[in-house]
């Protein structure tokens, strides 16, 4: 630990981002080649956050390809994709029934939560007879893609694009995504694209903070939640904003 604290902590942070980026590349390569590594081993080998991100990249690619086939006249492409996904979720649920340690179980629960939503999205695309990848029903989803040239992950939603931030968020659970969550995601990401903030409003306990935190997890951005009181003055706020601006984190100012 040499030099001033802000310097060596800065190095720790940079190493964390570099490590996650390298690991995501490895994790995604292993996910694309199931022959080289079985799913059971894949789940045990990598961090939960990377499993979810890699799964989302693969799902986005599959959906995009299926929609391209539909455009060319292969009407049942999305239905076939839904079948494949249902099989995959069944495989994950079989894995969760086996004896696992706490960390592995946590990973699988979060992975299944996200994969079930992915399957529901495909199901709604089938039911609404979506036939093009330019349709809003597909554009309004968080679409992950892996850029081979830059060895980097990007996230698109509507006409906004974000680079994956590689903040290590830990092995935490993920929210079950409802229609309302989707709408909050669209609104908040469009606000960010226009360099604005967001202010989710509603009664206590409806999940305003949790939704924001979950979107942060999806983009791998650190979210700091402050429970504000009438003691907060401009000086305290200035300090917090200074910290947020320097780390690139999001702040939730509650109440």
């Amino acid at each position: 630990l040499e030099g001033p604290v802000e310097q060596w902590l800065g190095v720790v942070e940079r190493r964390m981002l570099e490590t996650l980026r390298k690991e995501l590349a490895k994790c995604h390569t292993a996910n694309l080649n199931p022959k080289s590594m079985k799913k059971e081993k894949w789940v045990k080998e990598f961090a939960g956050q990377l499993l979810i991100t890699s799964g989302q990249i693969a799902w986005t690619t599959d959906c995009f390809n299926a929609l391209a086939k539909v455009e060319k006249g292969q009407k049942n492409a999305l239905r076939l994709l839904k079948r494949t996904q249902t099989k995959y979720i069944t495989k994950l649920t079989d894995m969760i029934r086996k004896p696992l340690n706490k960390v592995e179980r946590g990973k699988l629960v979060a992975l299944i939560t996200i994969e079930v939503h992915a399957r529901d999205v495909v199901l709604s695309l089938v039911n609404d007879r979506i036939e093009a990848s330019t349709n809003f029903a597909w554009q309004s989803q968080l679409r992950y893609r892996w850029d081979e040239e830059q060895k980097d992950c990007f996230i698109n939603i509507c006409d906004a694009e974000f680079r994956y931030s590689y903040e290590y968020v830990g092995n935490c659970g993920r929210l079950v995504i409802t229609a309302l969550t989707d709408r909050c995601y669209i609104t908040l990401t469009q606000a960010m694209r226009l360099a604005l903030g967001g202010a989710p409003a509603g009664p206590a306990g409806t999940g305003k903070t949790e939704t924001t935190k979950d979107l942060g997890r999806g983009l791998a951005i650190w979210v700091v939640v402050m429970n504000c009181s009438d003691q907060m003055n401009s000086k305290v706020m200035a300090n917090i904003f200074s910290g947020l601006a320097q780390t690139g984190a999001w702040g939730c100012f509650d109440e």
Side-chain angles (χ1 to χ4, degrees), residues 8-61:
W8 66 256
L9 266 178
V11 174
V12 170
E13 188 187 29
R14 279 200 301 281
R15 284 285 176 275
M16 170 188 73
L17 305 178
E18 284 166 18
T19 308
L20 274 180
R21 194 168 163 180
K22 277 183 197 154
E23 285 294 306
L24 180 58
K26 277 189 211 162
C27 179
H28 191 52
T29 310
N31 188 18
L32 293 181
N33 309 329
K35 285 176 187 165
S36 65
M37 187 184 281
K38 283 210 169 97
K39 277 282 179 261
E40 285 85 351
K41 192 178 176 214
W42 180 68
V43 168
K44 288 177 182 177
E45 191 88 5
F46 296 101
Q49 173 185 357
L50 303 178
L51 298 177
I52 290 173
T53 309
S54 171
Q56 291 286 89
I57 297 169
W59 169 74
T60 306
T61 313

Side-chain angles (χ1 to χ4, degrees), residues 59-247:
W59 169 74
T60 306
T61 313
D62 290 345
C63 281
F64 194 75
N65 293 341
L67 284 163
K69 283 177 188 167
V70 172
E71 280 180 58
K72 285 177 186 162
Q74 198 177 326
K75 296 288 179 203
N76 64 344
L78 278 171
R79 279 202 174 85
L80 291 173
L81 176 60
K82 189 187 137 279
R83 260 182 231 156
T84 315
Q85 274 201 294
T86 311
K87 272 187 201 160
Y88 177 43
I89 292 172
T90 313
K91 194 171 188 177
L92 292 176
T93 44
D94 288 343
M95 281 164 66
I96 212 163
R97 288 195 188 113
K98 292 173 186 165
L100 297 164
N101 62 35
K102 198 178 168 187
V103 172
E104 286 161 8
R105 192 167 293 280
K107 281 189 208 176
L108 272 168
V109 170
L111 188 59
I112 290 171
T113 307
I114 297 293
E115 289 297 341
V116 166
H117 174 249
R119 185 204 59 194
D120 291 351
V121 170
V122 176
L123 189 60
S124 72
L125 293 179
V126 171
N127 292 343
D128 298 344
R129 302 204 170 136
I130 305 302
E131 294 186 345
S133 55
T134 50
N135 194 292
F136 183 72
W138 171 241
Q139 290 289 322
S140 63
Q141 297 299 327
L142 279 174
R143 307 186 307 284
Y144 289 67
R145 66 183 173 84
W146 180 255
D147 192 308
E148 265 306 324
E149 281 178 25
Q150 299 179 46
K151 290 273 182 252
D152 213 340
C153 175
F154 293 94
I155 299 142
N156 297 76
I157 178 166
C158 299
D159 53 355
E161 179 174 79
F162 305 98
R163 185 176 162 271
Y164 192 75
S165 296
Y166 302 102
E167 173 79 36
Y168 178 64
V169 292
N171 190 17
C172 46
R174 295 294 295 269
L175 276 193
V176 173
I177 301 171
T178 62
L180 181 61
T181 321
D182 270 338
R183 286 169 74 171
C184 293
Y185 283 5
I186 297 167
T187 313
L188 290 170
T189 47
Q190 291 304 302
M192 278 166 63
R193 191 180 78 85
L194 302 167
L196 299 169
T206 45
K208 301 181 291 293
T209 308
E210 279 305 318
T211 303
T212 311
K213 275 164 67 179
D214 203 64
L215 179 59
R217 284 179 200 140
L219 303 174
I221 290 170
W222 188 35
V223 181
V224 190
V225 181
M226 265 76 52
N227 265 15
C228 304
S229 67
D230 49 6
Q231 312 292 310
M232 293 277 266
N233 57 20
S234 56
K235 205 165 184 188
V236 177
M237 290 295 276
N239 282 341
I240 295 171
F241 280 141
S242 161
L244 290 175
Q246 288 174 64
T247 52

